[in-house]
Amino acid sequence: MKANSSSHLRQPRAPGIITPNRWLSERVFNTIIGCFKRHGAETIDTPVFEIKETLTGKYGEDSKLIYDLKDQGGELLSLRYDLTVPFARYLAMNKISNIKRYHIAKVYRRDNPAMTRGRYREFLSDFDIAGQYDPMIPDAECLKIVHEILSELELGDFRIKVNDRLDKLDKMSWEDVRSEMVKEKGLSEEAADQIGQYVSMQGGKDLAERLLQDAKMSQSKQACAGLTDMKQLFSYLELFQVTDKVVFDLSLARGLDYYTGVIYEAILTQNGPVSAPETGERGRRV
């Protein structure tokens, strides 16, 4: 987020004065942490670096974005790519089987920054639920948390897109993805066009129910399992009263190897009232 300023010169500031950026940062994190705590989460901490072997193979093609450190006296280390793998290691080392945790800390991506597309080299904040639960209950709670935070921050109108793990449609046009499927993956043009019909669909519980009756979808056990999960998820979201902002979007996909179920992301759909400073961007991932 970028603060707008009418001055081209930076004026000296006395120690302790809250600048617009600092004010915004404190408000955002207080809102986020407050929401996490309301949902019963506790905070933990993990090292900023990991043994390279621990991270290798966890992120699929995105492994190339991991920052590697030089040999540290025989140890090959890397900066953490996200807070999920360190969290899994933390659970294993401490033999924890059930926990809600939030983690406010930096992670790093060796990527080409593109501010208007929400692509950075540093990211913050994570919330996870670990344990045995009935299907879709933790996912519904996480979506409610996203809904609560974005509503409280008053950044403007937003949508939360959800799908089951089927990552390129958010980076490339469908025409480019189709071309890759046909020319590089060997998929027939007919099959690629059939996929294109599905990835353009959006809806809610009604869409999941309709696709469960679809002749082609019903032939795939994996597709039926995912659609059944979507239907159950939206039933819980109705109870949480957050379906007004959540959409089942079949174009949403992710490439990280450890994603095994529901995936989601939130986007701002328009500029909204923000008590200074303003964001000034549209459609940014949150």
Side-chain angles (χ1 to χ4, degrees):
M1 297 179 185
K2 185 183 295 183
N4 296 327
S5 174
S6 59
S7 172
H8 297 288
L9 298 176
R10 291 186 177 273
Q11 299 296 328
R13 301 184 188 276
I17 290 181
I18 298 180
T19 64
N21 278 336
R22 182 180 165 194
W23 173 89
L24 179 60
S25 177
E26 288 184 356
R27 183 193 171 206
V28 167
F29 281 111
N30 286 340
T31 299
I32 292 172
I33 292 172
C35 182
F36 290 163
K37 288 182 175 180
R38 282 200 308 273
H39 285 264
E42 56 186 286
T43 187
I44 68 170
D45 192 18
T46 59
V48 74
F49 56 85
E50 294 281 345
I51 295 175
K52 183 177 180 180
E53 185 180 359
T54 303
L55 300 181
T56 302
K58 302 296 190 300
Y59 302 106
E61 65 179 25
D62 281 355
S63 291
K64 65 181 181 292
L65 300 181
I66 295 174
Y67 274 106
D68 289 332
L69 305 178
K70 292 183 178 180
D71 187 340
Q72 304 293 312
E75 288 186 316
L76 297 178
L77 305 176
S78 301
L79 293 178
R80 58 191 177 196
Y81 179 89
D82 63 12
L83 294 170
T84 303
V85 171
F87 178 51
R89 179 179 55 78
Y90 178 90
L91 295 180
M93 290 180 62
N94 293 281
K95 298 181 179 179
I96 297 172
S97 59
N98 194 297
I99 188 177
K100 289 182 183 179
R101 85 87 170 84
Y102 71 90
H103 195 172
I104 308 297
K106 290 183 178 181
V107 298
Y108 304 90
R109 310 281 170 90
R110 190 167 55 83
D111 204 351
N112 295 319
M115 301 305 183
T116 57
R117 296 177 58 199
R119 299 183 69 83
Y120 304 92
R121 288 179 173 174
E122 287 187 346
F123 301 86
L124 285 164
S125 185
D126 207 16
F127 175 92
D128 280 287
I129 302 175
Q132 295 293 323
Y133 299 88
D134 288 342
M136 298 297 105
I137 289 180
D139 299 280
E141 183 174 6
C142 287
L143 287 166
K144 179 170 175 54
I145 288 171
V146 175
H147 188 286
E148 287 182 12
I149 289 173
L150 292 178
S151 297
E152 290 181 38
L153 289 176
E154 299 178 326
L155 298 174
D157 194 25
F158 63 90
R159 291 293 179 272
I160 306 171
K161 302 191 292 185
V162 302
N163 194 9
D164 195 79
R165 187 191 188 280
L166 287 167
D167 146 50
K168 294 194 174 178
L169 286 173
D170 61 340
K171 302 175 184 176
M172 301 165 59
S173 68
W174 165 246
E175 289 73 21
D176 291 335
V177 175
R178 180 187 183 280
S179 177
E180 181 178 310
M181 286 179 170
V182 173
K183 295 179 181 179
E184 298 182 22
K185 307 299 183 182
L187 205 64
S188 70
E189 292 189 357
E190 181 183 3
D193 288 337
Q194 288 179 353
I195 292 174
Q197 294 175 8
Y198 288 116
V199 298
S200 64
M201 294 181 176
Q202 294 184 352
K205 185 178 178 180
D206 59 330
L207 176 58
E209 291 173 338
R210 190 166 80 248
L211 289 175
L212 280 169
Q213 304 301 319
D214 183 275
K216 294 185 178 67
M217 284 287 194
S218 62
Q219 295 176 7
S220 169
K221 291 184 178 179
Q222 185 177 6
C224 287
L227 290 168
T228 300
D229 282 346
M230 283 293 107
K231 182 179 176 181
Q232 183 66 64
L233 175 65
F234 272 88
S235 294
Y236 289 129
L237 294 177
E238 288 174 355
L239 295 176
F240 282 141
Q241 298 181 338
V242 297
T243 53
D244 61 316
K245 299 295 186 182
V246 183
V247 58
F248 179 19
D249 186 337
L250 273 73
S251 71
L252 180 63
R254 283 291 174 269
L256 299 189
D257 286 358
Y258 59 69
Y259 287 149
T260 57
V262 175
I263 55 175
Y264 38 86
E265 73 177 28
I267 61 169
L268 300 181
T269 58
Q270 65 181 35
N271 293 334
V274 182
S275 43
E278 298 176 352
T279 60
E281 295 184 11
R282 298 172 64 91
R284 183 179 59 248
R285 292 181 193 84
V286 177

